[in-house]
Amino acid sequence: MKNDHRMATMKFSKVYPMYVAKAERKQRTREEVDQLIRWLTGYSERGLQQQIDKESDFQAFFAEAPAMHPNRALIKGVVCGVRVEEIEDPLVRNVRCLDKLIDELAKGKALDKIMR
């Protein structure tokens, strides 16, 4: 994909407020967004805030993730017109998995159903 490099260098700290805003527009909370991100990546609250504060790009954000959740392979569906489960590049797949989790939250799905 031609946007792979751009996605790798995109700052997580710039995208994070968009995740929160999307969730809040649908009456969900920043805490729920954080819970999903921590579930996917294994970051603690403090670790997640450190990534935001140091303005990590997505490549560093996922490379430094303490424990990517093994059930992330169960995340399926379409994000930006692409099936998540068909993405071969691990970084792009991780970013799209996170996008899909936020989409599901914004659509009103229960946290326990999102965190497979």
Side-chain angles (χ1 to χ4, degrees):
M1 295 180 106
K2 63 182 187 277
N3 288 334
D4 292 0
H5 175 72
R6 210 180 93 208
M7 194 176 288
T9 58
M10 198 178 304
K11 300 270 187 225
F12 174 76
S13 61
K14 301 291 185 216
V15 178
Y16 174 77
M18 293 181 216
Y19 288 150
V20 172
K22 181 176 188 169
E24 288 177 342
R25 278 194 306 273
K26 302 293 185 169
Q27 285 66 57
R28 302 307 288 258
T29 66
R30 172 188 213 119
E31 290 73 25
E32 289 173 309
V33 171
D34 289 357
Q35 192 174 346
L36 288 175
I37 294 169
R38 292 193 324 262
W39 173 84
L40 180 65
T41 61
Y43 281 111
S44 64
E45 283 183 50
R46 185 167 177 255
L48 176 58
Q49 190 58 53
Q50 287 172 335
Q51 289 293 318
I52 294 166
D53 291 345
K54 72 179 186 178
E55 298 187 357
S56 295
D57 59 26
F58 272 110
Q59 186 153 353
F61 179 78
F62 284 111
E64 296 170 14
M68 292 300 293
H69 201 286
N71 285 357
R72 73 186 181 284
L74 301 177
I75 299 170
K76 297 184 184 333
V78 177
V79 175
C80 297
V82 179
R83 286 204 115 350
V84 173
E85 61 272 24
E86 294 174 2
I87 299 171
E88 292 184 22
D89 181 284
L91 174 64
V92 176
R93 185 178 171 122
N94 284 336
V95 172
R96 293 306 184 198
C97 281
L98 180 52
D99 291 345
K100 185 67 180 166
L101 294 176
I102 301 302
D103 284 353
E104 291 179 356
L105 180 69
K107 287 179 182 166
K109 203 167 183 182
L111 277 176
D112 63 331
K113 299 275 191 245
I114 299 170
M115 298 184 289
R116 295 144 171 86

